[in-house]
């Protein structure tokens, strides 16, 4: 009886700890396309991000500092039917509107996209999602950043996309 009680307590602790781990947007999106070969996801580790910023430190020091605060960057691509996958991504974000809030959008003749964010209980941005569609090539790119994301970093990214389009 004692062993059974210990087993039940252990199992319930495991369930509680697993329930507290929140999946990022990229994980939730990729669950829908586990067997779809048109959709791919790569994860860029903090160490790799650090290597990428070393080459460009002088030019964009504040951006490099912000990148160092990131935990991960996940990049999802769909090389065909981008419009279809864009709509699914947008619907998933809107469906979870209590978790993700719309930050900004941009559009021109050949590209459009949106920024979404997720904040923790203290109001800090802990996840930033960019969904981008290249209309000309019908390709989707989703960039999902997690970590300590400040407003200056978001504004800088948003400004760069507005200036490119």
């Amino acid at each position: 009886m004692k062993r059974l009680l210990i087993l039940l307590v252990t199992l319930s602790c495991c369930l509680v700890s697993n329930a507290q781990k929140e999946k990022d947007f990229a994980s939730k999106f990729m669950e829908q396309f586990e067997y779809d070969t048109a959709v791919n996801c790569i994860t860029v580790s903090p160490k790799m991000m650090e290597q990428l910023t070393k080459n460009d430190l002088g030019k964009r020091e504040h951006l490099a500092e912000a990148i160092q605060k990131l935990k991960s960057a996940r990049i999802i691509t769909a090389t065909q039917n981008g419009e279809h996958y864009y709509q699914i991504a947008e619907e998933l974000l809107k469906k979870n509107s209590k978790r993700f809030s719309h930050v900004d959008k941009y559009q021109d003749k050949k590209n459009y996209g949106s920024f979404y964010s997720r904040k923790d209980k203290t109001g800090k941005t802990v996840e930033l999602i960019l969904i981008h569609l290249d209309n000309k090539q019908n390709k989707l790119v989703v960039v999902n950043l997690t970590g300590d994301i400040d407003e200056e970093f978001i504004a800088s990214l948003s400004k760069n996309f507005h200036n490119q389009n």
Side-chain angles (χ1 to χ4, degrees):
M1 185 65 144
K2 211 178 214 183
R3 287 182 186 181
L4 181 61
L5 184 60
I6 291 172
L7 180 63
L8 287 174
V9 169
T10 305
L11 283 174
S12 62
C13 288
C14 290
L15 287 173
V16 168
S17 69
N18 281 337
Q20 290 176 353
K21 293 179 185 175
E22 294 184 36
K23 292 182 181 180
D24 63 4
F25 173 77
S27 296
K28 288 183 178 222
F29 184 79
M30 289 304 295
E31 282 177 352
Q32 297 180 27
F33 304 107
E34 186 175 355
Y35 302 106
D36 189 339
T37 58
V39 182
N40 297 299
C41 181
I42 62 165
T43 301
V44 182
S45 69
K47 196 161 196 85
M48 188 179 290
M49 285 187 273
E50 185 180 316
Q51 292 298 318
L52 293 171
T53 58
K54 280 185 179 178
N55 298 335
D56 203 21
L57 272 178
K59 296 177 187 172
R60 298 180 183 169
E61 192 170 318
H62 71 281
L63 197 56
E65 287 174 16
I67 288 173
Q68 290 174 349
K69 294 178 183 178
L70 296 177
K71 289 182 183 175
S72 71
R74 300 188 74 197
I75 303 166
I76 298 170
T77 56
T79 55
Q80 54 190 337
N81 300 321
E83 176 78 33
H84 170 71
Y85 294 114
Y86 184 96
Q87 295 303 324
I88 292 171
E90 189 113 276
E91 286 173 22
L92 183 59
L93 287 160
K94 288 178 180 176
K95 180 180 163 186
N96 292 293
S97 61
K98 289 183 179 178
R99 187 169 180 205
F100 299 106
S101 58
H102 190 261
V103 176
D104 196 10
K105 66 181 177 180
Y106 60 91
Q107 183 172 358
D108 69 7
K109 293 177 185 174
K110 61 179 183 171
N111 300 299
Y112 63 88
S114 290
F115 287 91
Y116 288 82
S117 69
R118 178 174 62 90
K119 297 182 186 264
D120 66 8
K121 292 177 184 175
T122 65
K124 282 183 149 182
T125 301
V126 294
E127 187 171 358
L128 181 66
I129 301 108
L130 162 67
I131 53 175
H132 172 86
L133 180 72
D134 179 335
N135 270 337
K136 203 169 195 173
Q137 297 181 357
N138 200 18
K139 291 183 180 179
L140 169 77
V141 176
V142 177
V143 178
N144 189 172
L145 305 174
T146 59
D148 183 12
I149 302 167
D150 61 23
E151 297 303 316
E152 185 179 349
F153 180 70
I154 296 171
S156 176
L157 284 177
S158 182
K159 182 180 174 185
N160 285 332
F161 275 91
H162 282 290
N163 290 340
Q164 286 180 355
N165 296 307

